[in-house]
Structure formats: C-alpha cells, structure tokens
Amino acid sequence: NYLAQYGGRGGTTVLVSSKSGQNAFHGTAFEFFRHDALDARNFFDGPEKRKWRQNTYGFSQGGPIQKDKTFFFAGFQGSNIREGLTTLLTVPTALMHQGIFTESFPGAPAAVIYDPATTRVDPSTGRLIRDPFPNNTIPADRIDPIGKALLDLLPNPTATDRLAGNYLANPVKTLDDYQGDLRIDHNFSNNDRLFGRVS
C-alpha cells in the first residue's frame, strides 16, 4: 500500500530508498558467475552445448567526507551475458535452392510444383488447372532473380537426413548492463539535513 501523496492508479508504485554513509568506512563486493562448462547439455542443443557465460558483479562503499557532517555512499553493478539461443528451424534444402523439388517427407510423396504459365480453364469442369513442371524442377530461366537473391540469404541445412527441423543454430545473445549510484548526505544541524542522489 502507498500513501495518498502518490495518487491513485492501477499501476505499480515503486518506492526507492538509498543508504547513507556513516562515520566509519563500510563496503561490500559480490560476483555471480555462470559458465556453460558447468552446465549439462540442453536436450535441443545437438552435439555441442550452447554457449552460456554470465558475470554479474558489483560493489558498494560508504563513509565520511567530514566526520559527523558529510557522508557519501556509492554503488556499482555490472552484468555481462553471452547466451547461446538454441534454435531449430526448417530451411530450403540445397536442391530446393536450385529449383528441384524431388525430395519428400518419409512416407509421403513429393509435393507437386505446378507451372503458373500453363493456367487455363478445364472445359469439362470449369475449374482452373495447370500442368506440373517436368520432374518437379523449375527451369533456371524461370526463377525470378529477386526471389533467388532472397532465397540465397537463407542458410543451408545443418542436417541433411530430414526436411523439417533441418537447421540447428545457436546464435549468441549479448547483454551488457551497468548501473551506478552515488549519494551525498550533509547534516547542517540535528534538525536540518540535506541529501542528493544520482543514479
């Protein structure tokens, strides 16, 4: 619950308080460490484990600037993460890049690729029909160069024994985050105090 001075709203209210320095110097330091050499292999990783390096570290220090009058308190935290994101995708095979669609899923016939230039109306049914490309192969001169350039941006499969889920990748997500705080307190008297904080 928060006081009336913060207004009324359905969202979250976060109240932050920071430490003040004292007449004696005090400090802390910490480190959180994680490394893929200490982890088990993820089921989806394939033969190699994904990369995972994480370091979260920091310190705090407080003390007097002028005894009984002015104090400081400072803190810093850094976080560096390199995380491999295991991704299993389906990409066109090397034959598909050439316009050859003769491969099929196990137990299923190969998909039929029809020639859009042969579209016509079947006089007996009134439906649109087309002729398939011979051998399920699109001739090289019929492949649009822009479409071919876009297709060539896709990687080749890493697994050649299947059509679906044939590309395994572990792109690395990089996160570097740094935070710091500094607070200065000054006591003018027992009744008058002032502090400033920057984060």
Side-chain angles (χ1 to χ4, degrees):
N1 293 329
Y2 48 86
L3 301 177
Q5 72 191 65
Y6 301 107
R9 58 190 169 280
T12 301
T13 298
V14 178
L15 304 178
V16 177
S17 60
S18 55
K19 287 185 177 181
S20 171
Q22 303 172 1
N23 277 326
F25 287 99
H26 293 281
T28 60
F30 68 91
E31 160 78 14
F32 174 81
F33 168 75
R34 184 169 175 183
H35 195 286
D36 51 71
L38 306 173
D39 291 346
R41 188 177 67 83
N42 182 323
F43 176 80
F44 298 101
D45 281 343
E48 293 184 22
K49 288 192 294 186
R50 66 181 180 145
K51 183 176 184 176
W52 184 287
R53 313 282 164 83
Q54 179 175 354
N55 288 84
T56 302
Y57 48 90
F59 71 89
S60 65
Q61 179 71 51
I65 297 175
Q66 181 183 359
K67 188 174 181 182
D68 295 327
K69 284 288 188 183
T70 309
F71 310 95
F72 77 93
F73 191 87
F76 171 81
Q77 176 176 305
S79 183
N80 307 111
I81 298 175
R82 305 294 180 267
E83 179 186 3
L85 304 172
T86 302
T87 307
L88 188 63
L89 303 170
T90 300
V91 296
T93 65
L95 288 177
M96 291 176 184
H97 276 263
Q98 302 170 49
I100 302 170
F101 292 85
T102 55
E103 299 163 297
S104 63
F105 290 98
V112 179
I113 307 298
Y114 291 95
D115 184 352
T118 63
T119 303
R120 62 194 182 279
V121 176
D122 184 342
S124 61
T125 63
R127 298 175 59 199
L128 291 177
I129 58 171
R130 293 169 291 173
D131 297 328
F133 281 111
N135 299 321
N136 252 8
T137 301
I138 302 171
D141 62 342
R142 296 282 303 280
I143 297 175
D144 183 90
I146 296 173
K148 178 77 168 98
L150 291 172
L151 183 64
D152 289 342
L153 293 175
L154 296 174
N156 288 319
T158 57
T160 57
D161 61 337
R162 57 187 178 268
L163 294 180
N166 59 4
Y167 180 74
L168 179 65
N170 285 309
V172 176
K173 177 180 78 173
T174 299
L175 174 64
D176 294 312
D177 183 51
Y178 306 101
Q179 303 170 21
D181 297 283
L182 173 64
R183 173 173 166 155
I184 304 290
D185 287 80
H186 183 73
N187 296 337
F188 294 98
S189 68
N190 287 337
N191 296 322
D192 297 309
R193 297 177 183 177
L194 176 70
F195 82 89
R197 180 181 66 214
V198 61
S199 298

